Amino acid sequence: MEKVYDSSDYSACDALDAWAATTADAVMPTLFRLVGTDTFHGCLQASALGAVQVSVMAYHSFHCVRTAKLIRRADPECSQLAFMRSGRHVLEQSGNRTALRAGEMAVFDSSRPFETWADGESLLVQVPLPRVPAHRPEWALTI
């Protein structure tokens, strides 16, 4: 896996903006704000496996939003499989909300607006929709 981002490479006032810019390029554009802290800590490693991308992320308390405007700007058109490695995560998409802990997984769609509240570590697998045998997920699914 290739190191894509490490907050220790940035000043405290630039770390969150750098995370947003990096994840916009490496994953998809989203908006971030910190929750309960003034300083962002995080890291991101990624690897392409053909058309599938695998990312390992660790991050400190934030709220993330993917809006319809951001989707129009750039959409990788993929299903996201998020495996929670540690911490707490909440995902809301298409009117459905799920709370996730370590060892749980959610499936969601990059082409639909969503919100997340996250603190911990996750493994994100992005699979292009044309390669997914089933239809697009209508909402987040916790397994």
Side-chain angles (χ1 to χ4, degrees), residues 77-97:
E77 296 183 352
C78 60
S79 282
Q80 314 275 329
L81 290 84
F83 299 90
M84 303 311 148
R85 298 174 65 193
S86 70
R88 291 192 42 110
H89 303 77
V90 175
L91 173 64
E92 191 171 305
Q93 186 172 54
S94 300
N96 295 285
R97 182 180 180 137

Side-chain angles (χ1 to χ4, degrees), residues 37-71:
T37 184
D38 293 332
T39 305
F40 178 74
H41 298 284
C43 61
L44 168 64
Q45 295 178 314
S47 183
L49 304 171
V52 174
Q53 178 173 308
V54 177
S55 302
V56 175
M57 296 181 265
Y59 32 71
H60 194 62
S61 300
F62 65 72
H63 174 238
C64 170
V65 177
R66 180 148 167 84
T67 64
K69 182 178 179 180
L70 289 172
I71 292 167

Side-chain angles (χ1 to χ4, degrees), residues 66 90-99 107-109 112-117 137-141:
R66 180 148 167 84
V90 175
L91 173 64
E92 191 171 305
Q93 186 172 54
S94 300
N96 295 285
R97 182 180 180 137
T98 186
V107 177
F108 58 105
D109 186 342
R112 298 176 191 271
F114 65 79
E115 288 188 66
T116 62
W117 293 264
E138 292 296 319
W139 54 277
L141 171 67

Side-chain angles (χ1 to χ4, degrees), residues 22-29 44 46 53 55 57 76 78 80 124 126:
T22 300
T23 57
D25 290 339
V27 182
M28 71 183 110
L44 168 64
Q53 178 173 308
S55 302
M57 296 181 265
C78 60
Q80 314 275 329
L124 180 68
Q126 293 176 270

